[in-house]
Amino acid sequence: MNYEVEIGHAKRARRVYSFDDIGVVPGRRTRDPELVSTAWSIDAFNFEIPVLAAPMDSVTSPETAIAIGNMGGLGVLNLEGLWTRHENPENIFKQLAEVTDERAAVQKMREFYSAPIKPELIRDRLAQVRDAGVTVAGSLSPHRTAEHYETVVGAGVDLFVIRGNNVSAEHVSHAERESLNLKRFIYELDVPVIVGGAVTYRSAMHLMRTGAAGVLVGFGGGASSSTRATLGVRAPMATALADVAGARGHYLDESGGRYVHIIADGGLGTSGDIVKAIACGADAVMLGSLLARATEAPGMGWHWGQEAHHENLPRGRRINVGSLVPLQEIINGPAVFADGLANLMGALRYAMATTGYSDLKKFQRIDIVHAVK
């Protein structure tokens, strides 16, 4: 089968697929939703639902990380955001929510994010989550990791996330900064590390060989991203996940049985997208805009990522996520409308039950169809 199309005499392009291009296929049996398990585990940590709250200021505060943890998921704190730059950021979130002009909002965000990251706030925010008795996870970008990781580990983090639009096995920094060699870094660290994003077989293999416990799959493709418009970069998630799942299988053989978890991070706009992500090989999903709709979310109806306030080239935007609903309703329902924006785990259970699968690993084997347009 030919997976390439000719763009012109000098260039061919690979045919790839987004979640909108595919669907899952019912099998020969069905089962009751109550007989379906959505449990997921990574390293020594077990979760009832395969959901990570994205390390984005508009999504995850210490309070929402605790709430997600109590629901059986994992909240990941952004350790270079407003929560670690300001002692009392609640007023800052309120100020941002009141600004409707986008140019003014970007200027405000640049002002607030220009404050230095305070190690004592990293320690205090992580301690707040740890004291609640849930799994503690924090995230840094590659160029901040070497500077702050000792504070993070010293604060008692359980899972360490290194997250960026594109994370490589060795990040080359400015001459004044220490370069991050992931393989050496992970080897010397005492906690499991999740790294990403990666969107190709080759990049995923490189990250798996560093010793990472999990790989984030995505390239700034979330609702608040404008990477496609500003950089011309696009990585449809169905193909990206299938490619990285292929790398996981080959690395499993290469390493003699070491399983690296795949976490879909981007392009997840509805519960149906979560179903398709797992069907393409994901073990769990990292959610941003879907959780930013929660009444408990710190963004107060607005959603943005780190790229939205970049000092030179914003590659994201602040978006209004619409009407707010309780976090419990988003995760476990009951849903009021049939729009795929609430009861996300109920939808996943029903999809698995309808197609006859009892757990997430088995559901990864489901048949997928592509609808030719």
Side-chain angles (χ1 to χ4, degrees):
M1 182 179 294
N2 183 13
Y3 294 99
E4 291 188 340
V5 294
E6 186 177 286
I7 302 300
H9 283 296
K11 184 69 70 173
R12 298 180 67 83
R14 185 181 177 211
R15 188 179 290 119
V16 293
Y17 303 96
S18 67
F19 291 140
D20 289 340
D21 298 321
I22 65 168
V24 298
V25 182
R28 62 182 177 87
R29 79 168 48 131
T30 58
R31 63 180 68 239
D32 291 338
E34 294 77 16
L35 301 177
V36 167
S37 171
T38 59
W40 170 66
S41 62
I42 181 169
D43 202 82
F45 304 98
N46 302 313
F47 304 96
E48 296 175 14
I49 57 175
V51 171
L52 293 82
M56 305 171 80
D57 278 350
S58 56
V59 175
T60 309
S61 65
E63 290 81 6
T64 55
I66 294 168
I68 288 288
N70 287 331
M71 292 181 191
L74 177 66
V76 185
L77 286 175
N78 173 17
L79 299 180
E80 52 192 271
L82 297 176
W83 294 98
T84 58
R85 297 174 189 265
H86 300 274
E87 186 71 39
N88 299 297
E90 291 84 359
N91 185 53
I92 292 174
F93 284 105
K94 184 177 180 181
Q95 290 183 55
L96 289 175
E98 293 172 350
V99 178
T100 57
D101 178 75
E102 276 312 292
R103 182 180 291 271
V106 171
Q107 293 303 320
K108 277 282 188 183
M109 285 193 287
R110 286 175 173 170
E111 174 189 341
F112 293 136
Y113 281 95
S114 66
I117 297 171
K118 300 175 182 177
E120 64 272 19
L121 289 181
I122 292 179
R123 179 198 62 212
D124 293 346
R125 304 308 185 196
L126 292 174
Q128 183 179 347
V129 179
R130 185 179 63 252
D131 291 346
V134 300
T135 304
V136 184
S139 175
L140 291 171
S141 58
H143 73 281
R144 296 279 190 183
T145 297
E147 180 182 359
H148 295 292
Y149 82 91
E150 290 182 348
T151 301
V152 176
V153 175
V157 72
D158 294 316
L159 288 163
F160 190 16
V161 179
I162 301 175
R163 182 179 188 256
N165 275 355
N166 185 37
V167 178
S168 57
E170 182 170 358
H171 178 75
V172 180
S173 296
H174 188 275
E176 296 178 355
R177 288 189 183 137
E178 181 183 351
S179 294
L180 177 65
N181 184 309
L182 272 177
K183 188 171 185 177
R184 186 182 69 229
F185 174 78
I186 292 174
Y187 177 79
E188 295 174 351
L189 213 57
D190 291 331
V191 299
V193 179
I194 299 171
V195 297
V199 293
T200 66
Y201 173 96
R202 179 174 294 182
S203 62
M205 282 293 284
H206 281 291
L207 291 180
M208 291 174 187
R209 287 168 178 159
T210 65
V215 171
L216 297 171
V217 179
F219 195 103
S224 63
S225 172
S226 60
T227 303
R228 181 180 176 185
T230 55
L231 300 185
V233 175
R234 187 185 179 200
M237 282 294 290
T239 296
L241 283 166
D243 281 346
V244 176
R248 175 181 58 197
H250 291 156
Y251 179 71
L252 190 69
D253 293 335
E254 175 187 296
S255 63
R258 186 173 182 276
Y259 186 90
V260 179
H261 294 266
I262 295 174
I263 301 165
D265 181 17
L268 300 160
T270 65
S271 56
D273 293 335
I274 296 173
V275 170
K276 296 173 190 178
I278 294 173
C280 287
D283 297 289
V285 294
M286 179 171 275
L287 302 181
S289 61
L290 282 170
L291 299 185
R293 297 180 60 250
T295 52
E296 300 91 332
M300 300 181 182
W302 295 93
H303 178 50
W304 67 90
Q306 291 289 98
E307 302 83 7
H309 51 81
H310 190 277
E311 58 187 17
N312 293 318
L313 182 65
R315 300 179 303 283
R317 61 189 183 277
R318 192 185 66 145
I319 63 170
N320 191 310
V321 294
S323 58
L324 301 180
V325 297
L327 183 62
Q328 175 67 29
E329 184 176 320
I330 293 173
I331 298 294
N332 293 316
V336 178
F337 301 107
D339 53 11
L341 299 179
N343 198 1
L344 304 179
M345 292 301 98
L348 176 58
R349 291 187 183 93
Y350 270 89
M352 294 169 65
T354 299
T355 54
Y357 292 88
S358 59
D359 59 55
L360 298 176
K361 288 306 300 177
K362 291 184 175 68
F363 189 64
Q364 291 175 348
R365 306 173 192 161
I366 193 170
D367 289 336
I368 291 175
V369 293
H370 164 55
V372 179
K373 297 177 182 178

